[in-house]
Amino acid sequence: MKSEDTPFEGGPMDGRVLPVLVGPTGNPPKTYRIPVPDAAGGPPTVLVYRRVPRGHSKRLGLPRGWKYTFDPEGRGGGRPKWPWSKPEPRTGRAPGNGPEGKPADTGE
C-alpha cells in the first residue's frame, strides 16, 4: 500500500506529521480516528480529525495536498449525504419550544 506524509493541526496531534495510507484514488481518508487508551482502564477516547485541502493551485484551483484538522465534536460523518437521505437528528431544542420541538403554548 502507498502512504503519504500528512500534517495534523489542532488538538493533541498539533504539528505532527504521520504517514497515512492513501486509497485507490491517491487521496487519504476523509476522517482519521485515533483511539487514545484511558489511564484508568476505561473505554478509550477517540480523537477525530477531518481532511481539508492544504492549498490550491493557481490556474485550476485543484487541491495541492491534504492536511487533517481536529474536530472536537467528533461527529460520525460516516454516512453518505444523498438528496433523499433524512437530515441528522438535532440534539438540542430551540429555546421556547415544547417537548416535541413545536412552539410552546404561552397561554395568551
Side-chain angles (χ1 to χ4, degrees):
M1 292 291 296
K2 196 173 178 184
S3 66
E4 177 180 304
D5 288 338
T6 310
F8 286 77
E9 290 183 352
M13 300 290 291
D14 190 23
R16 295 189 185 184
V17 178
L18 297 177
V20 176
L21 294 175
V22 295
T25 60
N27 294 329
K30 290 183 180 180
T31 57
Y32 195 82
R33 299 176 190 280
I34 303 171
V36 178
D38 187 34
T45 303
V46 178
L47 303 174
V48 178
Y49 284 84
R50 303 253 176 233
R51 181 185 74 183
V52 294
R54 195 183 307 178
H56 295 285
S57 63
K58 289 183 180 181
R59 277 198 172 174
L60 299 176
L62 299 174
R64 286 196 153 172
W66 302 100
K67 64 181 175 182
Y68 284 105
T69 58
F70 183 62
D71 183 8
E73 294 178 7
R75 291 192 312 262
R79 55 183 253 209
K81 295 181 181 178
W82 302 104
W84 55 85
S85 296
K86 293 181 181 178
E88 293 283 330
R90 295 184 182 187
T91 56
R93 295 190 308 254
N97 284 351
E100 291 86 30
K102 298 177 183 174
D105 186 20
T106 57
E108 292 180 15

